[in-house]
Amino acid sequence: MGFAAPLAGHALFRTQDLDEARERVAAIFCPHRLDRIGPGSGFDACHHHLEGERLSLNYIAYGAKTLIAPGELRDFYLFQMPLSGAAAIRNGADAYVSDPARAALLNPHRATTMIWEGDCRQILLRIDREAFVRHLAGLIGGQPDRPLTFSGAMDLTGPRGAALRALILHLVTEADAGRPALRPGSLLGRQIESALMTGLLEAHRHSFSDALHHTRGHEVAPRMVRQAEAWMLARIDQPIGIEDVAEGVGVSARALQLAFRRFRDTTPLAFLRDARLDRAHADLQAALPGTSITEVATRWGFGHFGRFSGIYRARFGCTPRETLREAQGAPF
């Protein structure tokens, strides 16, 4: 391998031992059959791996013609984008060839068998199955009623496929420059992961293509809003972010924001803030002697007293101090 391999700064292994390669790749993906087949030079495998939160970016080459048979992937979808060479793919009843112009997207609920040619080098995305389905739910405005199933090879030469390919290669280039955008706990990383999942859903044929193209992620049901409101109210005294709410109701953060704008003319976190203000107001009205405003504000997640006082007055027409004074019947 005389070339500068992608994601070299995130190398997991390089080996000429077939058993070691099988075990090391399985640790990231799943147990599988891996055999060298046909004539040619020796086996020379490498795997580079960059972990995200809901997906990972990988580079794999075997340096020999190989048979790979993982069966059902079960927990993840696998996107494979050849940089060189070709691979024969069978995923369930689908059979096709993947090459630099055509990517493969393997369904986890269908058995897979592949043959990689000796010069096949691939960029792979391992996408958590549950996360991918939640993302789809956010785009179509409801929970899928059947498995998300992709069909055939993905065209990487059309506008959507080419844009997706360019984004993936950009992420590889940034990682190679020491600026990896994908990493657990990164807000930017989550946004990029969402963009990748949306790109895959837009660029390839699947069982929800018609629903996705009909909704475009905007026509969402009011039920989503009610579920989010109930979810937040049940956890009103806990630290909550928009991603927590979206995950709690099984939609994307963007879809949730759009739904609240459309049906409530507000945002999810503004709804939560107002609900907490209502609780704080009720507590101040029923306060016993010795109760402090800071105690009540902190209880409902308001750590900055000045800001709490300002938004409280905007909502109730009086300050927290005035409410507490009236409740206790004496100067505060």
Side-chain angles (χ1 to χ4, degrees):
M1 298 181 184
F3 51 84
L7 304 176
H10 303 272
L12 286 182
F13 72 86
R14 180 175 180 180
T15 183
Q16 295 179 349
D17 185 293
L18 188 123
D19 291 334
E20 180 186 359
R22 183 189 302 112
E23 292 176 6
R24 299 291 296 274
V25 172
I28 298 298
F29 295 103
C30 63
H32 60 283
R33 176 184 173 188
L34 176 65
D35 291 320
R36 180 178 175 275
I37 59 176
S41 57
F43 182 83
D44 188 8
C46 73
H47 183 182
H48 305 165
H49 172 78
L50 178 60
E51 187 70 24
E53 193 165 313
R54 294 169 291 175
L55 57 81
S56 65
L57 186 61
N58 301 264
Y59 167 79
I60 295 180
Y62 289 108
K65 189 173 183 178
T66 52
L67 169 68
I68 308 165
E72 292 186 4
L73 304 178
R74 297 184 182 276
D75 298 331
F76 62 93
Y77 288 82
L78 186 62
F79 173 77
Q80 298 185 154
M81 187 177 78
L83 300 178
S84 65
I89 308 292
R90 179 172 291 278
N91 181 229
D94 264 359
Y96 53 89
V97 172
S98 179
D99 55 32
R102 296 169 293 182
L105 213 170
L106 307 180
N107 298 293
H109 50 285
R110 292 185 170 177
T112 294
T113 302
M114 301 176 285
I115 295 177
W116 289 25
E117 295 297 330
D119 60 346
C120 187
R121 303 181 299 121
Q122 302 219 45
I123 297 293
L124 305 92
L125 292 178
R126 182 197 188 281
I127 309 154
D128 180 80
R129 181 177 184 172
E130 291 186 4
F132 207 179
V133 173
R134 284 198 303 269
H135 186 76
L136 170 66
L139 294 177
I140 64 175
Q143 290 299 319
D145 57 359
R146 57 193 180 278
L148 169 60
T149 305
F150 294 88
S151 59
M154 177 189 294
D155 180 14
L156 295 175
T157 64
R160 292 175 178 172
L164 177 64
R165 183 178 186 276
L167 174 58
I168 293 171
L169 293 179
H170 174 71
L171 294 175
V172 171
T173 299
E174 287 296 287
D176 288 340
R179 300 183 294 266
L182 297 180
R183 58 183 185 275
S186 164
L187 178 58
L188 176 60
R190 285 188 63 86
Q191 292 174 334
I192 292 173
E193 289 176 355
S194 294
L196 288 170
M197 288 188 283
T198 298
L200 291 169
L201 290 166
E202 285 193 335
H204 199 21
R205 299 182 303 278
H206 54 81
S207 52
F208 291 89
S209 292
D210 290 343
L212 179 65
H213 294 150
H214 174 72
T215 62
R216 294 295 185 185
H218 295 283
E219 297 299 326
V220 293
R223 180 171 61 90
M224 177 198 298
V225 175
R226 297 195 300 271
Q227 287 177 332
E229 290 171 341
W231 191 93
M232 286 186 284
L233 291 176
R235 298 160 180 80
I236 194 169
D237 58 344
Q238 302 174 20
I240 295 173
I242 183 61
E243 293 289 346
D244 300 316
V245 184
E247 184 173 355
V249 297
V251 299
S252 72
R254 174 171 171 75
L256 193 62
Q257 296 275 22
L258 290 170
F260 267 78
R261 283 295 185 193
R262 173 171 178 161
F263 294 106
R264 296 290 189 262
D265 194 27
T266 186
T267 68
L269 294 188
F271 167 85
L272 179 61
R273 180 203 62 202
D274 288 344
R276 286 172 170 167
L277 281 172
D278 290 342
R279 300 293 179 90
H281 182 61
D283 281 2
L284 289 172
Q285 288 180 316
L288 297 173
T291 299
S292 72
I293 296 174
T294 301
E295 172 190 345
V296 173
T298 302
R299 180 185 306 148
W300 298 110
F302 300 100
H304 190 286
F305 175 74
R307 187 174 300 119
F308 169 66
S309 182
I311 61 176
Y312 184 98
R313 182 168 189 168
R315 183 164 178 80
F316 300 111
C318 61
T319 67
R321 189 182 303 275
E322 291 168 343
T323 301
L324 185 62
R325 182 188 301 121
E326 181 178 344
Q328 296 182 343
F332 178 72

